[in-house]
Amino acid sequence: HPNSHFSAGRIGVAAVTAGPGVTNAVTAIKNAQMAESPVLLIGGAAASLQKGRGALQDIDQLSLFKTLCKACVSVRTVRDIVPALRNAIATAQSGTPGPVFVELPIDVLYPFHVVEKEIGGTKSGRGLRGKAVQWYLQNYIRNLFAGAWEPRDVSPLPVQVPLATEEEVGTVELGFGVKPAGLGAQVSSF
């Protein structure tokens, strides 16, 4: 079996940096797809506020893996990290096993005080426009971390493993060129 090196309930995991780390993983993920191996690729990304604004290493990473992975998701808030990882792991192992990609923007990964300092959540804005920008940024940070410290269920989600029917197993056991019993056993010659 292509993925026999992965025992039930086991999954490969790789964590890579944004940009070149993610792009360098494309070949490995294609190999995992072809081998039907359950792999969780976790990739860093530019801060959510800077997406699409020319930030360093800001590329559309989800599009790179859309055709290679069973699922691609970008986590937008801290409270969504655990559910996204649980779903990704179950997806990688369910049905035909394969790779999944979870993108974690840097502002989702860093501690609250670091994000607040970097975004400028403690500065006071000047004028109406400055106050509006400051209000927006403070609300962004609050939403980013809302519910982050609430307990989360970290137990594995159920994995859907398709089972072959007796008829399918019987056909495979007979091998190439042999018809199953009941269909007039006939051996094909090469």
Side-chain angles (χ1 to χ4, degrees):
H1 191 264
N3 60 358
S4 59
H5 56 282
F6 282 102
S7 56
R10 310 257 341 227
I11 183 171
V13 179
V16 297
T17 189
V22 170
T23 58
N24 286 339
V26 170
T27 302
I29 293 301
K30 179 60 181 177
N31 286 335
Q33 178 199 41
M34 291 171 48
E36 296 179 0
S37 296
V39 174
L40 168 62
L41 176 64
I42 301 170
S48 302
L49 272 178
Q50 296 175 333
K51 283 276 194 187
R53 296 187 175 151
L56 178 65
Q57 300 178 345
D58 179 24
I59 60 171
D60 185 1
Q61 300 178 143
L62 297 178
S63 291
L64 285 174
F65 293 105
K66 217 185 301 186
T67 60
L68 303 176
C69 292
K70 294 177 67 177
C72 296
V73 64
S74 183
V75 177
R76 295 291 175 215
T77 63
V78 175
R79 68 182 167 270
D80 293 333
I81 294 173
V82 171
L85 292 175
R86 287 178 76 217
N87 287 330
I89 291 168
T91 299
Q93 295 176 311
S94 293
T96 301
V100 292
F101 176 60
V102 176
E103 179 182 75
L104 295 172
I106 197 166
D107 51 349
V108 172
L109 293 176
Y110 278 16
F112 177 82
H113 69 278
V114 173
V115 174
E116 185 178 45
K117 180 181 174 189
E118 289 298 316
I119 290 180
T122 57
K123 299 175 188 171
S124 60
R126 298 180 118 191
L128 183 58
R129 182 176 182 191
K131 289 182 189 312
V133 168
Q134 197 58 35
W135 175 85
Y136 174 81
L137 292 175
Q138 287 174 349
N139 280 317
Y140 170 79
I141 293 170
R142 277 193 214 92
N143 184 52
L144 185 66
F145 287 91
W149 294 275
E150 294 175 10
R152 298 273 182 259
D153 182 2
V154 295
S155 63
L157 293 174
V159 174
Q160 305 299 321
V161 179
L163 300 175
T165 64
E166 282 189 36
E167 183 180 290
E168 291 169 330
V169 171
T171 303
V172 171
E173 287 176 355
L174 291 173
F176 180 78
V178 179
K179 292 185 179 181
L183 297 177
Q186 174 185 354
V187 178
S188 302
S189 58
F190 293 84

